[in-house]
Amino acid sequence: MNDRYDAGAAGHGADQYELVGYDEYGRPVYRQVPPQQQTQHPYDSYTQQGYGYDPYATGGQQAQQYDPYGGGDTGQQPQTPSYDPYGTGSHPQQHTGGHSASYDPYGRTASSGQQPRVAEQTAYIPHQAGPVEEPVTQERGDRDYRTEQFAFVEEPDQDSEDVIDWLKFTENRTERREEAKRRARARVVALVVVLALAAAGGVGYLWYAGKLPGLSSSDDKKDTATPTGAQKRDVIVVHLHNTKKGGTSTALLVDNTTTKQGTTVLLPNALALSGDDGSTTTLAKSVDDDGSSGTRDEIDTVLGTEIQGTWRLDTPYLQNLVDLIGNIDVDTNANVPDPEAKSKGTAPLVRKGKAQTLSGKSAVAYATYQGSGEAQNAQLERFGQVMQAVLRKLTSDSQGATTTVQTLGMIIEPPLTDKDLGAFLARLADLAKGGDYKTALLPVQTDGTLSAQASASVVKDVLGGTAKSPDKDAAIRVSVRNASGVKDNTGKARVVLLNGGFSFQDGGSGAAEATSEVVYADAADKDDATEVAKTLGLPAGAVSKGDVSGNADVSVVLGQDYAPSSS
C-alpha cells in the first residue's frame, strides 16, 4: 500500500516517507518523497472512517500539504517518479487528481521513461495516539515499532547444517548397528543349522555302523552289510626255505580288497593236512614230500581258502631282498647269535630291543632263529615280524615292486608271475605303510587239528573260509612220556612225530629210565609202532606189545638213550 507519513507534523523534520516494501528480514522499507507542487489530500484513516478525530487538527477538512523545505502551500506538487523495483527505465509518470502513482511491487505500471532509483531506508515510526486500542508494540531501546508492520520470515540457523549432519550420522550409525545385529543373528542361525546337520550326519553314521547304544553291535552290522564270505581276497602262500639248517616256515599273505586290510597268517608246521590218498600228514612233511602245488591244494582243503599262487622264498633271496630295499627295522624279542661265529663269546648278531635295524644277513638269522626249549611257533612269529617289516620298506609302486622282484632273480612257480607278485606286494606295502596291516598266528592243537578259536578268529574272519580238519581217526595217535631227564625232549619228539604224519598226545614225564620203549596194544598196530620208532630214531628192538595209555594207538617212553639230533 502507499502510506505516507508526515514527519513534519510529528516534529522530526519536513520530509515525507512512503512505504515501498520490506527487506529480507521483514523490516519496512520507505523512500523519501519530495514536496509536491499541488495540494495533496493525505489519507486520513481516522476521519474517513468517521471517528471524528483529526491528529493534524484539520477539522475533518482537507489539509494543506506540509512543506519540509519551507516552500509553503503552493497547491502544486512536482511530479514524483514512480518506484520501479525492477529498474525497467520507465519515464516519470504524470499524476492526475493530485495523487502520486500507485506502487506496483511486480513492476507492472505502464509508465515510460527512466525512473530514478530511490534509496531504501528503514523508517522511524513514532507512536501515534488515537481513539482505538493501540496495537501490540515491541520495544528496542527508546524506539517502539508496530508489530503489524513487520513480516517475519524464518531466519536460517547457522547451526542447522551441523544439526542435520549430526542427525544423519546418528541415523546412519543406528542403521549400521541394526545391520550388524541382523548379520550376527544370521551367522548364529547358519552355525546352528550347520551343527544340527553335522550332528544328524554323525548320528546317522553311528546308526549305520551299529554303534548307537541299544542297537545291534558293530560286528553284526558289518556281517549284515558285507558278509564275510562275500569279501574279495587275494591270497598267496609263501614258504621260507632254510637252505643251511633245513626246515621250512609257511605263511599266507592276504589282501582283503573289500575292507582294505592286509594280513600275514602264520601256519604252524604241525598243522594237519589230508593227503591225496586220504592219509593224514603235516604241513612241514607236505612241503617236503608233495611240493608247492600239492601243499597249496591241501591248505585250501583244510582252511577253505582259494590260494592264487605260491612264492618260494629261500633264505639267500630273503637276504638279498632286505639288502636291496635298504635294511629293515624290527622290535626284536631275543638275542640271536651269529651262526658263523667261531666262539661263543662273540657278540650277538641281533640284539634284543626296540626298532633294531637289521641287514639282510641279520634279518635271515632272526627270521629262522628258534631258541633252546622254544616251540616252532616262536620262530614262526619272528618270520612274520620280518615279512611285515619288509612290506613296510618295500615300494608301493607296482612297477617298482615288480622291478625289485625281477632283480632278485627268483624262480617264480606258475601260475604266479613276476608282474603278479610285484603288483601284489606293492598293494600290501601300501597297506603296511598306512597301518592297515597285521600278523596273526593260526591256532593249532597238539594233534595238529584246528581249534574252535582258530575257526572263528582266523579262518572265518581273516581268510573267509571254513575249517575242515582231517578225521582224528585217520592219523596214528601216539602218546609220549618223557623219562629221559631232559625237558626239551618232549617238544622235540612232538615236532618229529607231527612232521612224520602222526598225531601227538602228551603223556607227561616220569622217573628216568635207561632205554626207550615203543608199545602197541593191537597186533594190527605193530607196523605203525615200528614206523613210530623209526621216525623217532629208536631201534626196532624197542618195539613191543603191551598196554597202551589212554586212547592212543601207540605209546612211547623216551629213555636216556633218546637222541633228538639223530632222529
Side-chain angles (χ1 to χ4, degrees), residues 210-353:
K211 297 181 180 180
L212 287 178
L215 299 180
S216 60
S217 64
S218 59
D219 293 338
D220 295 340
K221 185 66 180 179
K222 180 179 179 181
D223 292 341
T224 302
T226 306
T228 304
Q231 297 178 10
K232 179 66 172 61
R233 298 174 177 84
D234 294 329
V235 183
I236 288 180
V237 58
V238 54
H239 300 294
L240 177 65
H241 289 259
N242 190 340
T243 58
K244 291 185 177 181
K245 294 183 178 181
T248 58
S249 302
T250 303
L252 297 178
L253 303 180
V254 183
D255 177 21
N256 191 324
T257 58
T258 303
T259 61
K260 306 298 182 182
Q261 178 71 43
T263 309
T264 296
V265 179
L266 304 175
L267 304 181
N269 283 336
L271 176 65
L273 301 177
S274 298
D276 294 337
D277 57 357
S279 62
T280 302
T281 186
T282 62
L283 175 60
K285 189 173 181 61
S286 176
V287 174
D288 291 339
D289 297 342
D290 301 333
S292 300
S293 178
T295 303
R296 181 173 64 246
D297 295 338
E298 293 170 3
I299 294 176
D300 283 340
T301 301
V302 173
L303 302 180
T305 57
E306 184 177 352
I307 301 174
Q308 284 79 32
T310 301
W311 179 21
R312 175 168 176 153
L313 181 63
D314 294 346
T315 50
Y317 292 114
L318 176 60
Q319 179 176 340
N320 293 338
L321 177 60
V322 174
D323 291 336
L324 187 61
I325 63 178
N327 299 337
I328 59 176
D329 294 330
V330 179
D331 295 336
T332 58
N333 56 19
N335 291 324
V336 179
D338 188 350
E340 298 179 357
K342 297 181 179 180
S343 61
K344 295 183 179 180
T346 306
L349 179 61
V350 178
R351 293 186 178 275
K352 179 181 179 180

Side-chain angles (χ1 to χ4, degrees), residues 275-528:
D276 294 337
D277 57 357
S279 62
T280 302
T281 186
T282 62
L283 175 60
K285 189 173 181 61
S286 176
V287 174
D288 291 339
D289 297 342
D290 301 333
S292 300
S293 178
T295 303
R296 181 173 64 246
D297 295 338
E298 293 170 3
I299 294 176
D300 283 340
T301 301
V302 173
L303 302 180
T305 57
E306 184 177 352
I307 301 174
Q308 284 79 32
T310 301
W311 179 21
R312 175 168 176 153
L313 181 63
D314 294 346
T315 50
Y317 292 114
L318 176 60
Q319 179 176 340
N320 293 338
L321 177 60
V322 174
D323 291 336
L324 187 61
I325 63 178
N327 299 337
I328 59 176
D329 294 330
V330 179
D331 295 336
T332 58
N333 56 19
N335 291 324
V336 179
D338 188 350
E340 298 179 357
K342 297 181 179 180
S343 61
K344 295 183 179 180
T346 306
L349 179 61
V350 178
R351 293 186 178 275
K352 179 181 179 180
K354 295 285 186 180
Q356 295 295 313
T357 301
L358 305 181
S359 63
K361 179 181 177 180
S362 58
V364 170
Y366 183 78
T368 59
Y369 176 72
Q370 182 176 349
S372 176
E374 287 184 336
Q376 192 260 338
N377 289 348
Q379 175 268 320
L380 189 61
E381 290 177 348
R382 296 187 181 102
F383 170 55
Q385 288 181 280
V386 171
M387 288 302 301
Q388 186 165 346
V390 168
L391 291 174
R392 285 199 302 265
K393 197 65 177 292
L394 189 67
T395 177
S396 301
D397 178 66
S398 179
Q399 183 60 40
T402 301
T403 302
T404 301
V405 172
Q406 293 173 344
T407 304
L408 294 176
M410 296 182 299
I411 298 176
I412 307 299
E413 299 182 8
L416 195 63
T417 64
D418 293 342
K419 185 176 180 180
D420 294 337
L421 180 58
F424 180 79
L425 295 178
R427 294 197 303 269
L428 293 182
D430 185 61
L431 296 175
K433 290 181 176 65
D436 298 321
Y437 199 94
K438 63 182 179 179
T439 300
L441 176 66
L442 179 68
V444 176
Q445 301 182 98
T446 57
D447 59 356
T449 60
L450 299 175
S451 64
Q453 178 186 2
S455 300
S457 62
V458 178
V459 177
K460 180 181 178 182
D461 296 341
V462 178
L463 300 175
T466 303
K468 296 179 181 179
S469 295
D471 187 3
K472 293 181 180 180
D473 296 336
I476 303 301
R477 294 168 294 180
V478 180
S479 175
V480 178
R481 181 170 64 89
N482 187 4
S484 65
V486 180
K487 183 178 180 180
D488 293 342
N489 285 344
T490 301
K492 295 178 180 180
R494 173 180 174 275
V495 172
V496 172
L497 290 173
L498 290 176
N499 289 338
F502 299 98
S503 177
F504 176 84
Q505 294 181 359
D506 190 357
S509 60
E513 297 183 12
T515 59
S516 300
E517 296 180 356
V518 178
V519 181
Y520 62 92
D522 192 348
D525 297 329
K526 182 179 180 180
D527 293 339
D528 294 334

Side-chain angles (χ1 to χ4, degrees), residues 8 51 58 120 179 183 199 228 231 246 296 309 329 337 349 355-356 383 532 534 541 553:
Y51 294 103
T58 58
E120 296 178 358
E179 182 65 21
R183 291 179 180 176
T228 304
Q231 297 178 10
R296 181 173 64 246
D329 294 330
L349 179 61
Q356 295 295 313
F383 170 55
V532 169
K534 181 180 178 181
D553 298 321

Side-chain angles (χ1 to χ4, degrees), residues 82-84 88-94 101 107-115:
S82 175
Y83 172 73
D84 184 2
T88 57
S90 59
H91 297 284
Q93 184 178 3
Q94 298 294 332
R108 291 191 297 264
T109 304
S111 60
S112 61
Q114 184 72 22
Q115 295 183 4

Side-chain angles (χ1 to χ4, degrees), residues 137-150:
T137 62
Q138 295 182 350
E139 296 182 359
R140 290 188 179 180
D142 56 350
R143 299 181 180 182
D144 295 337
Y145 298 92
R146 293 187 181 184
T147 57
E148 70 271 10
Q149 295 180 352
F150 296 89

